[in-house]
Amino acid sequence: MHRPIGEQENGAGYGPVLPPFRPHPPHGEIPGGPWADAGGSPDPGRVDPLVLGALLARHGWQRRGGAAGRYSRWTPPGSGGISGTSLLVPESRAFPDCEDLLGEALTALQHSAAPSAREVLVGLTVPSDEIRWWRDVPPGPAGTVPWTVQEQLRSAARQLLLAGALAVRGRAGYYGARHRRQAQASLEAVVVGAAPGGRGLTAFVPVDSGRAIAVRLYHALYAAREAADYQRATGGMEAFDAAVEAGVSRELTEALVALVRGTEGARIALEWAPAAGTPAGCAARPEPVEFSAGDLPALREASARYMTDEPSVPVRITGAVVRMRRSGPRGEGTVRLRVLGGAEVPHVRVTLDEESYRTAGHAHLVGLPIRVVGRLESRGGFRRLTDATGVVPVQVDEAERDRLMKSLHENLDFFEEACGPGE
């Protein structure tokens, strides 16, 4: 698939994994949002009939007549209009009985057995961009997909969303541990639902907190598709280098490998929240992006290339000592720091000479963090600081100092083991 006509150009798992997706809400339970009433259900007084109609059409409901200019009638996918739920949706809020009809339609959706009814209600309650994954895998008994295969899909989807959230924080070929906490936090509001049969998955990404992630994934996926096409046609990797600016990274290519591996193909589609409209620089109705087993060599080569080429980063880190270790009572030792500032990573390990090691130990004993200058090394996933110099204690406020002292008393075994006689 290629970039849609009219689109403007825009300039697996590493470290801790994402917490599990919030599951698709069960029958009768819709997450609260700005369009919800006190019970968490969509508020008929705030639902836009045009948005409801757009969501029904997106999820396969059929429009089957109605009173022209006043209201339309919708039936669930596959019903043929003969039986099942039938919704009357007003054409606009100018219709006299608009709120009554909307209330009846929402109640019918809440009681509908159609899986798509829940997705429509989620889209109404919390305006969300929808990201859909689908994998072509052999069916199991009765046409279902084995649990392990479904877990592979969920894991790949988590990795892909995390890659998009990381790209929002800044462009890099390889992030490692950098920005991971912030990226994970930005995904906490995502709601997910599995398609019948287990081959598909849909993530509802709230517009308020996650539109930037959806937009970044949109550009990154098309850039990855074009780069893979270029590599397969020419053997060159230059397109993957340029794709970093669009949000492609080792994390994203590894997520795509995990999505495609073991399948005959995979597809990712994005659909924008009707209530929020189309974001700037994006196609109104993006075509799905498809990857196949033939793309795996290019994606794997790009993944290795990103990790190798990403340079180490000069930093000046302020951190609290949480562990110290060395082989004897003298000489250099290794210190683990909880990063307080200077780098977007939670912890780093650093090897210090004897004098700097002693300074770090003394600073911790009195409840002070240290400041150290060095290079955040990419080969360790940006978890190791090399060429460390200038280790000095840093003054902090009393509350932070008390907290650090409490941490010391709770972990005295680290320092009884690490500090030799005379330290």
Side-chain angles (χ1 to χ4, degrees):
M1 308 298 294
H2 298 279
R3 191 180 302 275
I5 296 173
E7 179 195 333
Q8 301 176 11
E9 296 288 343
N10 233 15
Y14 302 94
V17 298
L18 273 174
F21 283 130
R22 290 170 54 200
H24 194 283
H27 190 80
E29 297 181 16
I30 301 297
W35 273 259
D37 60 22
S41 300
D43 180 1
R46 304 191 66 179
V47 169
D48 185 337
L50 295 179
V51 171
L52 175 55
L55 287 171
L56 290 169
R58 170 181 297 178
H59 292 284
W61 288 63
Q62 300 296 314
R63 181 169 179 167
R64 301 185 182 279
R70 305 182 69 189
Y71 60 84
S72 54
R73 187 169 71 91
W74 295 80
T75 57
S79 68
I82 300 173
S83 61
T85 305
S86 178
L87 309 181
L88 296 182
V89 179
E91 293 289 342
S92 72
R93 296 200 67 88
F95 184 65
D97 296 324
C98 173
E99 194 163 326
D100 291 338
L101 283 181
L102 287 173
E104 292 172 3
L106 296 176
T107 299
L109 284 171
Q110 289 172 331
H111 291 89
S112 173
S116 59
R118 313 306 305 154
E119 297 184 340
V120 172
L121 288 170
V122 171
L124 285 174
T125 306
V126 181
S128 304
D129 297 322
E130 299 176 23
I131 304 174
R132 302 178 185 278
W133 295 266
W134 186 87
R135 302 172 87 216
D136 185 3
V137 294
T144 59
V145 173
W147 174 78
T148 54
V149 176
Q150 294 186 43
E151 284 301 300
Q152 291 168 5
L153 172 58
R154 294 177 68 88
S155 176
R158 281 195 296 269
Q159 292 180 49
L160 198 65
L161 281 175
L162 179 59
L166 288 168
V168 170
R169 306 288 303 181
R171 306 293 185 271
Y174 175 44
Y175 294 94
R178 295 181 295 170
H179 309 298
R180 191 165 292 268
R181 285 184 301 185
Q182 296 87 346
Q184 289 174 336
S186 68
L187 296 173
E188 289 179 354
V190 174
V191 175
V192 68
R199 289 183 179 82
L201 195 70
T202 301
F204 296 85
V205 184
V207 170
D208 288 346
S209 60
R211 166 143 285 190
I213 297 171
V215 170
R216 184 47 48 207
L217 271 178
Y218 167 85
H219 291 294
L221 288 170
Y222 281 112
R225 176 66 271 165
E226 292 177 354
D229 288 340
Y230 181 86
Q231 193 278 338
R232 294 179 70 176
T234 68
M237 297 298 293
E238 297 86 354
F240 276 107
D241 297 337
V244 171
E245 185 58 31
V248 181
S249 63
R250 175 181 172 87
E251 284 74 9
L252 185 128
T253 54
E254 286 291 290
L256 291 174
V257 168
L259 181 68
V260 175
R261 186 174 51 229
T263 75
E264 296 181 11
R267 182 172 70 240
I268 307 114
L270 288 89
E271 295 177 309
W272 311 117
T278 304
C282 299
R285 294 179 177 83
E287 291 290 331
V289 185
E290 298 183 3
F291 294 90
S292 68
D295 297 313
L296 290 177
L299 293 171
R300 288 181 173 130
E301 184 177 351
S303 179
R305 182 183 181 94
Y306 286 140
M307 185 174 181
T308 302
D309 291 353
E310 188 68 21
S312 57
V313 181
V315 292
R316 185 172 69 168
I317 286 177
T318 301
V321 177
V322 295
R323 185 180 290 271
M324 303 182 72
R325 183 177 294 277
R326 62 182 175 183
S327 57
R330 302 287 178 184
E332 69 177 20
T334 300
V335 174
R336 188 168 188 253
L337 301 178
R338 177 171 58 84
V339 176
L340 303 176
E344 294 286 346
V345 295
H347 295 88
V348 296
R349 298 178 69 86
V350 54
T351 299
L352 301 175
D353 59 32
E354 182 174 353
E355 182 178 352
S356 296
Y357 185 85
R358 183 183 296 112
T359 300
H362 288 167
H364 187 89
L365 289 171
V366 297
L368 293 176
I370 62 172
R371 180 176 294 127
V372 56
V373 176
R375 299 191 68 84
L376 203 56
E377 185 61 49
S378 62
R379 286 177 297 177
F382 296 96
R383 296 178 179 89
R384 180 176 292 276
L385 197 68
T386 60
D387 302 328
T389 60
V391 176
V392 294
V394 178
Q395 292 295 330
V396 295
D397 59 45
E398 287 301 319
E400 177 66 13
R401 183 166 178 168
D402 289 345
R403 194 166 66 82
L404 293 171
M405 289 297 292
K406 181 180 179 182
S407 174
L408 167 63
H409 290 303
E410 291 174 349
N411 298 279
L412 279 175
D413 57 314
F414 296 159
F415 295 91
E416 290 170 356
E417 175 183 86
C419 299
E423 294 296 313

